[in-house]
Amino acid sequence: MATSTHEDAHAASSLSTPPPEPSSTSTTNVSSNFDIISTYHTILRSSPHLTPPLAAISSLLHLLSHTPPSTTSETLSLLSHHSSLLIASVRNPIGLRAGTELFQRYTVSTLQQAAPPTPNKPDSATQDEDEEEEDGFRAVRERLLSSGRLFVERAAQARALIAETARRYVKPGATVLTAGRSRAVAAALDAAAEAGTAFRVVYVRSSSPPPSPSAPHDGRDRDEETMTMARRLRGKPGVEVALVRPESVAYCLGQVTAVMVGAEGVLENGGVVSAMGTLQLAVLARSARKPFYVLAESHKFVRLYPLGQYDLPVRQTVLEFEGGADHDGEAGAAEGGGGEQEEEEEEEEAAVDYTPPDLVTALVTEVGVLTPSAVSEELIKIWY
């Protein structure tokens, strides 16, 4: 747990340092030259332990730092425009949507609280008064940036708080099944091991191939990261680890005490969006009457209420039927090289599914252990 805390604090501190103030140019010119997408991916590469929502917030902070003071309306429009650009640039925007919406809401609240009431200026208002108003808004923006960086620093420590709570669910002699590459789950298992608890872990390996060189990704091979976490846990006293394929999960559940997974997003109804296969784990856990715990930071809560599995705002192709007349194209595809295979790998790397709230036993967050129905209450606290 100490290692995770140190890494998170380092990632946060690297983002809390603001870039140099821009020269005196117009807001329009500076913002149009600012590449929010490149900034986001640079932050993820330089701070791999940062979650996508926090990387998105940090990108918006960099944006504000690179633009000169303007009006409240222009600031909110600037954030909205670049948030839309960032969300549209990825196949799975749920994490980015959680972060950008949270920061925009936080910005509105900060500006409303900090901005002084605007008096009715007489016709004889001088240029000095206009400059005074501009200085006042500059101070408000500085407060917003300072508070935003502080929020990122504190939010980056959420994983350690989750680990401290979740480790109590790992009892001596327990067997925990997990899948994916959740760093919150890894931190919780590390914390349990460091507390001297003897337990076993069943890691479900990824069935996805590594991403193709041309596919955009965060530089992490999902199965390799699972192997790395397994090797680290095996080196801890009292911890035994088994690696299994996805098709073996149902067979293994008879010896499992609990299932723990992470999430890319926690939706308004308490359901979760996570790596493809999470729904399958939840269904099997319910069938075997095993508790299914989701470990997630509260900044991943997002105002989405899907009507079903196929109602997510995610661009992915999981079902692709072939046959009949399409069969004639198979030979040509084989002769054409690996282009289509690379496309499939890219799609599979981005694939997620939706686990409804009735399959979730509890959500372990830095603000406490929540039932799925409590997520909407937490969102109400943030937004209203």
Side-chain angles (χ1 to χ4, degrees):
M1 178 177 63
T3 302
S4 175
T5 306
H6 174 73
E7 291 169 341
D8 294 341
H10 174 72
S13 63
S14 66
L15 290 168
S16 62
T17 304
E21 287 296 324
S23 59
S24 179
T25 55
S26 70
T27 302
T28 302
N29 290 337
V30 176
S31 63
S32 62
N33 293 331
F34 186 87
D35 191 342
I36 188 73
I37 299 171
S38 176
T39 300
Y40 169 75
H41 289 292
T42 298
I43 289 173
L44 275 184
R45 283 193 298 269
S46 62
S47 304
H49 296 280
L50 209 65
T51 62
L54 289 185
I57 292 174
S58 298
S59 301
L60 294 177
L61 285 170
H62 280 283
L63 168 67
L64 291 181
S65 297
H66 276 82
T67 54
S70 59
T71 66
T72 297
S73 176
E74 287 176 348
T75 299
L76 296 178
S77 177
L78 184 73
L79 291 176
S80 177
H81 173 67
H82 282 80
S83 294
S84 298
L85 290 177
L86 188 56
I87 288 172
S89 71
V90 296
R91 294 179 179 275
N92 174 15
I94 291 177
L96 299 188
R97 179 168 170 175
T100 56
E101 287 186 353
L102 179 62
F103 184 69
Q104 288 181 79
R105 175 56 188 163
Y106 173 74
T107 301
V108 170
S109 176
T110 300
L111 293 176
Q112 286 177 339
Q113 293 175 12
T118 304
N120 293 324
K121 295 192 298 181
D123 295 336
S124 59
T126 65
Q127 183 177 357
D128 291 340
E129 290 176 327
D130 292 335
E131 291 177 355
E132 184 178 342
E133 285 187 12
E134 184 176 332
D135 290 340
F137 187 78
R138 183 182 290 108
V140 171
R141 283 268 299 246
E142 286 302 318
R143 174 180 172 181
L144 172 63
L145 291 171
S146 175
S147 300
R149 295 179 191 118
L150 181 61
F151 171 81
V152 171
E153 290 180 11
R154 291 176 175 174
Q157 299 169 10
R159 196 175 300 140
L161 299 175
I162 292 172
E164 184 61 26
T165 300
R167 73 172 181 83
R168 298 186 177 94
Y169 289 88
V170 184
K171 306 294 184 182
T175 300
V176 177
L177 184 142
T178 187
R181 56 186 188 187
S182 169
R183 289 162 290 184
V185 173
L189 297 177
D190 282 342
E194 291 175 13
T197 305
F199 61 96
R200 298 186 297 179
V201 180
V202 178
Y203 261 113
V204 182
R205 298 183 62 175
S206 171
S207 60
S208 299
S212 65
S214 63
H217 60 92
D218 57 9
R220 292 179 290 168
D221 181 337
R222 289 191 296 179
D223 199 46
E224 179 56 35
E225 190 159 347
T226 298
M227 298 289 288
T228 300
M229 291 188 290
R231 284 192 293 267
R232 187 177 69 247
L233 279 175
R234 280 174 173 163
K236 297 182 181 294
V239 181
E240 299 177 12
V241 179
L243 288 162
V244 300
R245 304 301 301 181
E247 58 267 24
S248 305
V249 171
Y251 177 84
C252 299
L253 275 174
Q255 299 185 49
V256 168
T257 308
V259 179
M260 283 187 179
V261 299
E264 296 190 22
V266 180
L267 308 186
E268 192 170 352
N269 62 352
V272 298
V273 174
S274 194
M276 181 66 69
T278 304
L279 171 62
Q280 185 169 278
L281 288 181
V283 171
L284 290 171
R286 168 62 63 86
S287 177
R289 297 183 178 179
K290 305 294 182 180
F292 186 84
Y293 301 113
V294 177
L295 280 56
E297 299 89 338
S298 63
H299 59 254
K300 292 182 178 179
F301 290 5
V302 60
R303 293 191 305 164
L304 277 176
Y305 204 114
L307 300 177
Q309 187 67 232
Y310 312 114
D311 196 34
L312 297 176
V314 177
R315 303 194 303 271
Q316 61 183 19
T317 303
V318 179
L319 283 174
E320 189 171 1
F321 298 101
E322 296 180 357
D326 294 339
H327 241 43
D328 298 335
E330 290 184 1
E335 293 174 3
E340 288 189 7
Q341 181 181 355
E342 289 180 357
E343 250 183 54
E344 290 173 3
E345 290 175 353
E346 180 182 343
E347 292 283 0
E348 193 165 9
E349 178 69 14
V352 294
D353 60 25
Y354 161 65
T355 302
D358 60 295
L359 297 177
V360 177
T361 304
L363 294 155
V364 184
T365 75
E366 79 277 11
V367 297
V369 180
L370 308 176
T371 61
S373 61
V375 173
S376 59
E377 297 176 11
E378 291 298 319
L379 284 169
I380 288 173
K381 292 178 184 177
I382 296 172
W383 285 87
Y384 304 104

